[in-house]
Amino acid sequence: VDHGPSQVLRRDRATGATTLVSHTPGDTAGNGWSGHPDISDDGRSVVFESRATDLLSDPDGNHGGNDIYFFDAIDGAIRRVSLTSAGQQPATGQGSTPAISGNGRFVAFASSAPLDAPARSVAGREASLRNVFVRDMSSGVTRRISATHDGRAPNGASYYPAINAEGSRVAFVSTATDLDDDARATRQENIYLYDSQTPGLRLLSRSTSGGAVDGDSRHPAVSGDGRYVLFSSDASNLACAGHCGPRADVNLVADVYRVDTRTGIVDRVSGGPSAREPWWNASTGAASDATGRVVAFSSRQPVDDADLDHDDDLFVEVLPAVAEGSRAAVASPCGNGSPRPLVYP
């Protein structure tokens, strides 16, 4: 039985009502796939990705390519997000993986479309690469944040953004090597942080010496207050350089890390108390509460003899509080009695 393309739904747990989000002006399901939803803190606003061409009454300018949409639960209206600041939809390029701020005002997303003037002026391969944009739904301004310090298009793709509650901080993945002038990034996937209050981008996935790490980093998440950024990484030199104590990174697969952007401390959240974890214990999909202290992630790591299934489980870890002005308040991820601060050259 053909049930049609995937749709986005919104469930009100208080009333039990389920609403079709990816709907046409006639309140029918869209004619194309819709997915990757994200929701504001109050549950009113939902953003999603869709390749449907009939969600709005105006023509779909990119001919069925994926676009980003914004749904308002108050009036049921849908607006297109992947637009230029002039309100235009480019005929080329596609949008993906939207993330909405907790207050519902800002939407971060990746797109290969020329949504800003500098991107249109770039020739060659960089012109078609994905970049990360933030659209202010109140003012209608779309800004590309994956840019070099002088506003040029980077030399690698950027994608998978995560945004904090007020929309001032965005973390994303990039393979570019020229986003942070102080960094020695390589072509692997790295995590960068954009802060609307400070110029430039900040490389978060650094090694213990401040240089390039030895593995890919993905799937960022930002705490509601914007202080902490979590991500998964295959690297073994983010929190410890080699075998540096009972929690040395020796499992050769992805672990979940948390960066305190205020103090620069990197903490490996996953891994457990054992000095040597089995090789299959990959951990990923991190999320946190507003404070960044309560962290959830998935892993195949067994926690006791009763965990006999070789499958992913969901783990929640409550991390110790960090006293302001004190780095000694954090348990050492390296097992050497002191937390390892992230070094910025």
Side-chain angles (χ1 to χ4, degrees):
V1 178
D2 183 7
H3 296 287
S6 170
Q7 304 293 335
V8 174
L9 305 173
R10 174 183 176 271
R11 176 79 171 178
D12 189 326
R13 294 188 298 164
T15 66
T18 300
T19 304
L20 174 65
V21 171
S22 51
H23 66 80
T24 69
D27 290 328
T28 60
N31 63 5
W33 173 92
S34 296
H36 298 152
D38 195 21
I39 192 167
S40 61
D41 286 350
D42 62 3
R44 171 178 173 173
S45 305
V46 179
V47 291
F48 62 98
E49 176 184 343
S50 181
R51 64 177 63 104
T53 61
D54 58 351
L55 298 184
L56 300 176
S57 57
D58 60 311
D60 188 356
N62 66 355
H63 311 292
N66 287 21
D67 291 303
I68 308 301
Y69 293 91
F70 179 100
F71 168 84
D72 188 334
I74 298 300
D75 57 11
I78 291 179
R79 288 185 282 168
R80 185 177 282 115
V81 178
S82 44
L83 301 170
T84 67
S85 294
Q88 299 174 336
Q89 180 192 17
T92 60
Q94 301 188 59
S96 61
T97 57
I100 191 170
S101 60
N103 59 17
R105 176 175 175 177
F106 298 94
V107 180
F109 61 97
S111 180
S112 57
L115 296 177
D116 65 333
R120 285 197 297 268
S121 66
V122 175
R125 175 175 176 268
E126 286 79 6
S128 61
L129 291 174
R130 281 181 293 172
N131 280 283
V132 173
F133 297 85
V134 174
R135 184 165 176 85
D136 186 334
M137 300 304 296
S138 295
S139 68
V141 173
T142 300
R143 180 178 182 183
R144 178 165 56 95
I145 63 172
S146 55
T148 63
H149 74 281
D150 54 359
R152 292 180 295 104
N155 60 13
S158 301
Y159 40 89
Y160 291 134
I163 192 168
N164 71 327
E166 67 177 14
S168 60
R169 288 190 157 195
V170 179
F172 61 91
V173 180
S174 183
T175 59
T177 62
D178 55 355
L179 288 175
D180 185 337
D181 289 342
D182 292 331
R184 295 184 292 275
T186 59
R187 280 292 185 184
Q188 63 201 18
E189 293 178 303
N190 282 295
I191 307 298
Y192 290 87
L193 179 66
Y194 163 82
D195 188 337
S196 63
Q197 304 302 313
T198 60
L201 294 170
R202 181 173 167 186
L203 175 65
L204 297 184
S205 52
R206 293 176 184 257
S207 70
T208 53
S209 62
V213 292
D214 57 8
D216 290 320
S217 300
R218 313 177 185 92
H219 308 301
V222 186
S223 62
D225 60 8
R227 175 171 178 174
Y228 296 97
V229 176
L230 296 107
F231 57 91
S232 61
S233 181
D234 299 333
S236 64
N237 58 346
L238 270 164
C240 297
H243 300 271
C244 50
R247 296 189 69 183
D249 189 357
V250 296
N251 61 359
L252 306 180
V253 292
D255 290 299
V256 172
Y257 295 87
R258 185 187 70 166
V259 178
D260 184 340
T261 63
R262 188 176 303 170
T263 65
I265 293 173
V266 178
D267 187 23
R268 185 162 66 110
V269 178
S270 60
S274 172
R276 299 187 64 85
E277 297 89 13
W279 65 268
W280 60 81
N281 291 346
S283 301
T284 187
S288 79
D289 67 343
T291 67
R293 287 193 58 207
V294 182
V295 178
F297 60 93
S298 63
S299 180
R300 294 195 175 192
Q301 175 178 303
V303 294
D304 55 45
D305 293 338
D307 188 4
L308 302 178
D309 295 327
H310 183 51
D311 61 356
D312 289 299
D313 295 305
L314 178 65
F315 295 85
V316 176
E317 184 167 353
V318 180
L319 301 174
V322 179
E324 291 298 328
S326 172
R327 291 182 174 177
V330 180
S332 169
C334 296
N336 59 3
S338 63
R340 204 276 301 168
L342 192 62
V343 177
Y344 296 102

